[in-house]
Amino acid sequence: MIRNFLLGASALALLSVGSARPAIAQAPARITDPAILFGARDDVSQISLSPSGTQVAFVAPGPGPSTVLYVSAIDSDAAPKIALSADGTPSRIKECHWVSDTRLFCDLYLIGLSSGELLEANRIVAVNADGTDVKMLSREQRPDDAYAELRGGDVIDSLPGEENAVLMNREYVPSEAAGTHMVDTREGLGVDRLDTLSLSTRSVEPPRKDAAFYISDGHGRVRIMGTRKQAGESGYDKAGITYYYRPKDSNGWKSFGADGFTPVAVDPDLNLAYGFKTKDGRRALYTVSLDEAKTETLVLARPDVDIDGLIRIGRRDRVVGASYVTDKRQAVYFDKDLQALAASLSKALPGLPLIAFLDSSLDESKLLLWAGSDKDPGRYYLFDRKARQLHELMLERADLEGVRLADQKPVSFKAADGTIIPAYLTLPPGSSGRNLPAIVLPHGGPAERDEWGFDWLSQYFAARGYAVLQPEFRGSTGYGDAYFVHNGFQSWKTAIGDVDDAGRWLVAQGIAAPDKLAIFGWSYGGYAALQANVLDPNLFKAAVAVAPVTDLAQLAEERRGWSDYLITEDFIGSGPQVREGSPAQNADRILAPVLLFHGDLDINVGVRESKLMDEKLKAAGKQVELVVYPGLDHQLEDSAVRADMLRKADAFLRSALKIQ
């Protein structure tokens, strides 16, 4: 029961090769407007290293909402060259990786309109490093296909050593040519080996209707498969994935069993899978042998937080460690050489405690890494292991170089029921930290969390004189099953209660002036910003919500025609809590003035949610303003638009809080 729209070779029309000099290669003019400085998209959103370690390819913002793929030789002073661009209407380049030293593949995110409904899709394309020979790797739409497939697949193995070839998940759609006996009954997700130049294709795994994903071992062999469960004949998916593995010396599939293990990577040399499983109520990292014994071994667990990340490196995505977050993200390396290197880098970069290995050359002699902190958005480096030399390549936000940024401090406070709630506090640089205008900034999700590090929203508001508190309310991930409760929608009274308690803590500590306390949120955070005022109408004096959920029943209804409808409905729940937990259905309780922002091509949370909230608040005689940005989706991926949003939000807050 999946809706689709036609998106075949025409997707290439969204791409172009340009010749303009990238802004990242130019000496930036000094910008003094904080909204422009902090509203700008990152100069680098994704980066990868060529197999030889001599070139980098990185995705960066272009004019307006567009995205651009640049390729740059590391040992050259020449400006990076544009290999590909997407116009951002909204189609954008999500990420690109090297197939060889001369060719890359890119994952494109696209939005289209069918029968008045917004639909999202992805497509995989290949392109030469000089911008030539762009080709579609996703399966082409045929005129007689039974339906159009939105999922364009993904590359699961870049096949090191096989020049310009990849293993790729591809979706197949049955087809019957009218007036002929030509029938193709293949349907579902399979795996193909593709030559990215000639497009010659060989089936590696035949398509299966119930297949959700496949995992390769990095050597061209598919070892793990996940399948979906369906609710009868409805076509709707049920929650949960069934996992299968392929033994080392067999082509058959064997079940992992129902032990709660979620495989995510394969080590072919040790013949095991890495994956996650709950231990004592928290996520832990395990390995399971890919044989009949299915020997399970605990690799890493914490008594306080979840293990939530797997660290992989190299052209074969070799597993080298895992990570978790306490006050800050921490890494544990299983590879002794990388463990020693990480320790050395921490000493060499003392002001940049957050270090991540991103990519490597084919022989792993050259490593691409990122380092950053709360007051440094991040820097990209190349480390030559043979020469033991570290070279800075580029900055994540060049315009912020030399700008004084605020410290982000891990803190905690007690919720009304005595539960300790972690949070991050950002104070204006040089302030006393007392009697300030203040903002509670709940994160999105709700199944997400904040982390210590640079945050453009909190830094902007700190630069404008506000104290900012980001609470890890219950329903956040990373703290175990009990802390997650049911989730931030079904357990909204707990989650939103924690958000309100964050505001009360700011006042009790003397950080916030009681009459100058506001709340700002995006997505679920926008929902929290509104619902916090339903739960306690007198606490916050102003609320700003970007792309907010405002009606839980409507949020579920938006997915009715999609295969995940039952999963979404189950996540949101049913009963009186749906109406009670919907700010649009309780607009009469909100006393604070409200400012809403939304993109009109938002698929995550439809713009109708903000329009409904605007309508309900006006009908209740409340103060509200809605700003709709045309042609943009949930993330508002346009630097000028983000700057406009920040200016409008700041002006609104200053007026509502009576800040001079």
Side-chain angles (χ1 to χ4, degrees), residues 480-501:
D481 295 343
Y483 198 86
F484 187 72
V485 200
H486 292 295
N487 64 55
F489 286 129
Q490 290 194 39
S491 301
W492 71 264
K493 288 184 180 178
T494 299
I496 303 305
D498 291 347
V499 172
D500 279 344
D501 285 337

Side-chain angles (χ1 to χ4, degrees), residues 531-549:
Q531 191 65 10
N533 284 274
V534 172
L535 194 61
D536 186 345
N538 297 301
L539 180 62
F540 297 105
K541 311 309 177 187
V544 181
V546 186
V549 172

Side-chain angles (χ1 to χ4, degrees), residues 38 111 257 274 377 384 387 421 487 547 564 594 615:
F38 294 102
I111 288 182
Y274 283 92
D384 188 321
I421 308 298
N487 64 55
D564 64 351
V594 173
E615 174 189 320

Side-chain angles (χ1 to χ4, degrees), residues 533-579:
N533 284 274
V534 172
L535 194 61
D536 186 345
N538 297 301
L539 180 62
F540 297 105
K541 311 309 177 187
V544 181
V546 186
V549 172
T550 67
D551 188 283
L552 299 185
Q554 180 169 289
L555 182 66
E557 190 61 27
E558 288 177 6
R559 303 305 300 174
R560 181 173 289 278
W562 299 87
S563 62
D564 64 351
Y565 168 65
L566 294 181
I567 297 173
T568 303
E569 186 181 50
D570 183 62
F571 185 80
I572 291 172
S574 60
Q577 66 91 17
V578 173
R579 188 187 186 286

Side-chain angles (χ1 to χ4, degrees), residues 45-48 57-60 67-69 84 92-98 104-109 122-125 127 153-155 317 358:
S45 62
Q46 184 265 333
I47 188 170
S48 61
F58 58 96
V59 180
T67 46
V68 183
L69 170 66
L84 200 67
R92 56 179 175 264
I93 304 170
K94 290 175 60 179
E95 57 182 306
C96 298
H97 299 275
W98 295 86
L104 302 104
F105 67 86
C106 297
D107 189 352
L108 311 177
Y109 172 79
N122 84 295
R123 289 296 183 264
I124 308 296
V125 302
V127 60
D154 58 284
V155 173
D317 280 338
L358 304 178

Side-chain angles (χ1 to χ4, degrees), residues 138 277 351 465 485 584:
S138 299
K277 181 179 177 179
V485 200

Side-chain angles (χ1 to χ4, degrees), residues 72-121:
S72 179
I74 291 172
D75 293 329
S76 172
D77 293 330
K81 295 181 179 180
I82 297 177
L84 200 67
S85 65
D87 61 10
T89 57
S91 62
R92 56 179 175 264
I93 304 170
K94 290 175 60 179
E95 57 182 306
C96 298
H97 299 275
W98 295 86
V99 184
S100 66
D101 267 341
T102 58
R103 197 156 177 79
L104 302 104
F105 67 86
C106 297
D107 189 352
L108 311 177
Y109 172 79
L110 308 131
I111 288 182
L113 194 64
S114 177
S115 302
E117 183 171 9
L118 291 174
L119 303 170
E120 64 180 340

